[in-house]
Structures are given as C-alpha cells and as structure tokens.
Amino acid sequence: MKALVGADLIDGTGGPVLKDAAVLIDGDRLKAVGPRAAMDLPPSADVVDVSGLTLLPGLIDCHDHLASKGYDLASRWGLAEPVSLQHLRTAKVLEQTLAAGYTCVRDGGWLDSGFKQAVEAGLYPGPRLVISVSIISPTGGLGDHVCLAGHQRPWRDDPLLPSGVANGVDGVRAKVREMARVGADVIKFATTGGASSRRGHGPKDVAFGPDEVKALVEEARALGRKTMCHALGGPGLRMAIEGGAGSIEHGCYLADEPDLLKMMADMGTFFVPTFEIYEFHSTISAPHIVERSKTLMRVHQESMHLALTAGVKVVPGTDAGGYVHGDNAREIELLVERGMSNMQALQAATGWAAECVGLDEDIGTLAPGKLADLIILDGDPLGDIGVLRDQSRLKLVMKGGEAFVDNLPSAVPQPVG
Ligand SMILES: [Zn+2]
C-alpha cells in the first residue's frame, strides 16, 4: 500500500479543502481518504510526504477529439498522411493528454475502439476513454462529410469508423446499433449545424426531426448507453433537450430560451459549453466561421450563467483536436474567466464530469473504494486556476493506482515496531 500525506486535498465534491490530508492507496483503489491525524497507516505502507502540495482527482475532459489533427479537408478526410503515421500521432496525443493531468476523456468523434483497447491493455499510456466513434446526423448534417465542391468523402477504409449518416426512425435505430457494434460507449448525434460546419448549415439550422431524436435516445438507452448531442441553437436545440439527450454539447444559444434550462435541470441534462473552440474559431478560421463564432460568444457566456442559476451541471469540454492538444485545462480556466468560482470549476472538471460521462461510481471524487485517479500539484488552483495548465507544477499523475508522472520525493520507509 502507498500513502500520500500532508497535502491540501480537494475531493471533487465542491466541499471545503482538507488541510494536512492523507490518502491510502491499495492496488488500483483508494482505501482511505481523510485527515492525516485521524488515519492509522498500516506499518507496511510506503509513505510519501506531499506537504505544501495540492491533491485532487484526475481531471476529466467531457468533449475532446483525440484523433483529429486539423480543420482542413485533407486532415479531416485523412488524406494528408499515411494512416500509420496518423495513428502514431494519435497515440502521442493520448500520452500528452494524460501527462496534462487528464485521467479520463470522453471523445466526441473519430477515435476508433482500437485506441481504447491499447490503453486498457497497458500497451500505450492514455486517459480512460469513453468513445463515441462517429457522429450520427441526417444527410446534410454534421456527420455527412461533403466538400465545398459537393463531393462526398469517396471512401471509408476503416470499418471501425463507419459513416454517421442516418435518416428516418428505422435508419437512426440501425445506426445506433451499428455504433454500439463498433465499440461506442456513448452515442453522439447532432441536431444543429455548428460554427465550423458548411455554409447553409449554421448554429441555428436544424438536423433530424423529433421522432428520429426520440428513437435514437430510446435505442441508445436500450443498449445501455448515454447520449451526447451537438446542439447550438434554434429548433434543434429544443428537440435535443425534449428528446432526452444526456448532455448538450456547445449549447451556445440556451440563454435565448430559458425554459430549456429549467427542463435540463429537471431532467438532469448536462451542459458542456466548449468555450475554447470558439476562441480559436473567432480568430483564425474561414470568414463565415469567424463571424458565427463572434456572434455566439456573448450569449454563450450568458447561457452558462443562466444554466448554473437554474441548477444545471456545467462541465468542461475542450472540443480540442483541430487546434491544439494537451492544453485541456485551458477550458477549466475559461469556465472561471466566464464566471464560475475556482472551486466550482474544479468540481465541474472532476465530480460533475464523472457523472456526465457515466463513470461517477469509480472516478471523479476522492473517497474510499473509488479508483486511485488523482493528481498532485505544486500550486493552489483555488488561488490561481491557471496553475492547472503549467505541467512543470504537476508532481504526480496517477491513474488506477499507477503513477504516469511522478516527480515526488521517494517514499520513506515506516519505522518498524
Ligand atoms: Zn466536437
């Protein structure tokens, strides 16, 4: 067994900091968590003094695209590089993301199940993965890959990344089953366009009808899977919430229809705002994307404020992929810059995020019986949330009791007898 003693402990529940804490780790799980003074450490335990440092649950990103490399067509369609090179780059991203303190990531599309198998088999280091595989949308929607000249993506060489296009109730049900077959843990679908989608299919343009959304959510539930829905505004946003989506991704225009927030709170629907991606799109993307992003920024922030007031759980999602990897904690910093308290943002990135991705029985908070997913920081994120982004301050990243980053002093043997 291993004990980490003396840290300021933030447990992921939003509760007060526990000073001079002790955490006892037995194998891959936490055996005890509490004040050092009240804990009887077994004589055989390796004890590491982490006084002056902050210990918190491993961070969780609820919306990432670990296999995405860029927004240009060649990257999106996988034309720019050999598949082997693309896969090796994705593997590096997994490692980089874990090194940033992220012990769990929910991927919002285009990561195939082989990466998850590789991580689970211990073949390659990476966060725990909750994957969606492909985004389900109707013809012309987000999952329909068509270039500016109107050509469809001409081939799909990987049967584990099938097309997400489905139409009609039967088609949508079949597509959910197909995604489950290729290893999707969560069913991702899109009921609106987005900032970066094609001209004519913008943030308030609808995709799918209510019958299709209901069938999709129902089929996912029947297969034991949660759903996450890309929805920015307009009728598609309402349809996703009324249809029972597990989380609303982006949700920029929620503030325009506050009754939706009440509905989300009542139904336990999570809100994943993804501020970081719009910062990127509002500066360097194509002109129609820049315009869409600038237009939605103010209302997006307002949507987060109203959501929190309404009692909706707001969790961080970077939507990373096309613009950067490994700086996932920038999104937590943005939650604070846009109005969350530091403690609330930390809870959002741990306890609430674990609920959102459906793993709260095992991760997200530090309590006896949970998996030992935790990080130790040289810095106080309650004073400066930005310390989460500084990897030189990360002294320990532990996933399931195994240290991936370990810059702590070595264990001191307990005196015997
Ligand atoms: Zn996304």
Side-chain angles (χ1 to χ4, degrees), residues 174-193:
K175 189 54 80 177
V176 170
R177 291 169 185 158
E178 188 182 358
M179 290 307 157
R181 187 183 70 194
V182 296
D185 305 300
V186 56
I187 302 300
K188 167 95 182 269
F189 66 111
T191 56
T192 74

Side-chain angles (χ1 to χ4, degrees), residues 55-228:
L55 191 156
L56 59 161
L59 303 171
I60 301 169
D61 187 345
C62 296
H63 186 142
D64 200 337
H65 294 281
L66 293 159
S68 299
K69 315 285 187 306
Y71 278 96
D72 60 294
L73 189 69
S75 299
R76 284 183 156 193
W77 285 12
L79 307 171
E81 291 179 335
V83 173
S84 49
L85 180 53
Q86 295 170 42
H87 286 348
L88 287 166
R89 284 192 199 283
T90 302
K92 271 288 165 217
V93 170
L94 292 172
E95 188 175 3
Q96 203 182 354
T97 307
L98 180 59
Y102 278 77
T103 52
C104 180
V105 167
R106 183 171 72 168
D107 193 88
W110 311 302
L111 187 74
D112 77 62
S113 60
F115 292 100
K116 180 171 171 165
Q117 289 172 37
V119 170
E120 288 185 348
L123 187 65
Y124 205 82
R128 290 179 200 288
L129 295 171
V130 176
I131 62 170
S132 58
V133 187
S134 302
I135 301 171
I136 303 179
S137 83
T139 300
L142 207 68
D144 190 8
H145 294 162
V146 178
C147 73
L148 289 172
H151 296 290
Q152 276 189 290
R153 184 174 174 166
W155 80 100
R156 292 195 172 266
D157 54 353
D158 189 342
L160 291 179
L161 283 176
S163 162
V165 177
N167 293 288
V169 166
D170 291 348
V172 160
R173 281 191 188 275
K175 189 54 80 177
V176 170
R177 291 169 185 158
E178 188 182 358
M179 290 307 157
R181 187 183 70 194
V182 296
D185 305 300
V186 56
I187 302 300
K188 167 95 182 269
F189 66 111
T191 56
T192 74
S196 70
S197 53
R198 65 178 167 82
R199 285 173 195 279
H201 189 53
K204 293 188 177 179
D205 294 316
V206 72
F208 280 138
D211 54 338
E212 290 166 309
V213 169
K214 275 207 180 83
L216 184 150
V217 171
E218 196 178 277
E219 191 61 36
R221 282 186 187 147
L223 296 174
R225 280 149 175 91
K226 287 176 176 278
T227 51
M228 57 190 289

